[in-house]
Amino acid sequence: MIELSGLTVKFGGVNALDAINATFNAPVNGIIGPNGAGKTTTMNVISGFLKCTGRIAWNGQDIGQMPAHKHTRWGLRRSFQKEQIADDLTIAENLQVILDATPGSRADKRADMERALELTGLTAQASTPAGGLNTFQRRLTDVARCLVGNPKIVKFDEPGDGLSREEANRLGDLILQVPEVTGATVLVIDHDVDLIERICVETLVLDFGKRIAFGPTRAVLDDPHVKAAYLGIEDVE
């Protein structure tokens, strides 16, 4: 369970996040909204990159004051809009960078890497330099990095960006397996409403830093206020 209580971020006189409350109980959860709504700001706050007022808790544990450099060891993983992989390292070496920052025996880490490579279908390419990968392979490598080291929270920021429909569907199937394989709670930001509807049990909708809806994804997407703010239909009173 991830609980956001009164989450507020101010940039000068602008409320980037305005007292956001949400409790994510589902294995895979979505965060959606138009550009500038506060989605990535929410991810950055949970990651410890931005200071905020309010409380962030995981299964009752307050993690909001945890320094960002301790998050990897604790179990927080994040896939950014632009894949954060090193082109001069192989796929396996990109995973090893994460494992080197987490506790565990060498044997356990090796087994952990093998599991992540198998789950993402990258076992045969493990020794391939990342600089030679295509867009989908790079995204899979980024996902594999999120699977190692006993993650507790895994966050995906626009994972379907730049992918074909078939690739986005394959990625969605992979994300659905993350909670079962790792035990982690997953948060997904994406403008692909079809992907969000298919994989996310619960969804938070933001607009101008405010919460406008939260709940079961299908019900949220049917909310007239969500359609007005996010789906571009005529506004509602």
Side-chain angles (χ1 to χ4, degrees):
M1 181 181 72
I2 302 171
E3 183 180 4
L4 310 179
S5 302
L7 220 60
T8 301
V9 175
K10 294 185 178 182
F11 298 132
V14 177
N15 282 344
L17 292 178
D18 189 1
I20 301 300
N21 295 305
T23 300
F24 298 102
N25 290 296
V28 181
N29 307 270
I31 303 176
I32 65 173
N35 290 332
K39 306 182 299 297
T40 298
T41 299
T42 301
M43 289 287 206
N44 287 339
V45 166
I46 298 173
S47 299
F49 297 156
L50 289 175
K51 297 296 183 181
C52 71
T53 57
R55 184 172 186 266
I56 306 167
W58 176 82
N59 287 351
Q61 176 187 357
D62 189 342
I63 63 172
Q65 304 305 314
M66 185 187 302
H69 69 275
K70 292 186 176 181
H71 281 178
T72 297
R73 186 174 182 85
W74 177 81
L76 192 146
R77 304 286 181 272
R78 180 174 178 180
S79 172
F80 292 81
Q81 293 181 34
K82 173 66 176 176
E83 304 91 355
Q84 300 295 300
I85 59 178
D87 287 347
D88 58 340
L89 299 180
T90 66
I91 292 175
E93 289 168 343
N94 270 281
L95 271 62
Q96 189 63 51
V97 169
I98 302 297
L99 288 166
D100 286 345
T102 60
S105 68
R106 182 175 298 180
D108 287 343
K109 291 181 179 182
R110 181 64 187 176
D112 198 10
M113 179 186 294
E114 290 175 352
R115 181 185 65 175
L117 290 170
E118 181 178 1
L119 186 65
T120 53
L122 294 171
T123 301
Q125 291 83 39
S127 299
T128 302
L133 302 177
N134 62 36
T135 300
F136 187 47
Q137 291 169 327
R138 291 178 67 84
R139 179 60 69 188
L140 291 176
T141 302
D142 214 22
V143 172
R145 283 165 44 91
C146 293
L147 300 180
V148 297
N150 299 313
K152 296 181 177 69
I153 299 174
V154 177
K155 300 180 294 177
F156 296 105
D157 195 344
E158 302 285 357
D161 187 37
L163 302 183
S164 68
R165 173 49 55 192
E166 179 184 357
E167 291 169 340
N169 287 340
R170 288 174 59 189
L171 184 66
D173 292 340
L174 174 58
I175 292 173
L176 283 171
Q177 297 180 65
V178 172
E180 180 180 355
V181 172
T182 68
T185 301
V186 176
L187 299 178
V188 181
I189 291 176
D190 211 292
H191 287 289
D192 185 341
V193 176
D194 291 336
L195 177 64
I196 291 292
E197 182 178 5
R198 190 163 72 86
I199 69 175
C200 298
V201 177
E202 295 180 324
T203 295
L204 169 67
V205 187
L206 302 175
D207 192 23
F208 292 107
K210 296 180 179 292
R211 164 181 156 167
I212 61 171
F214 177 68
T217 300
R218 183 64 265 167
V220 162
L221 294 177
D222 286 338
D223 187 309
H225 293 88
V226 174
K227 292 180 178 180
Y230 183 61
L231 302 179
I233 69 166
E234 186 176 337
D235 202 356
V236 295
E237 295 183 357

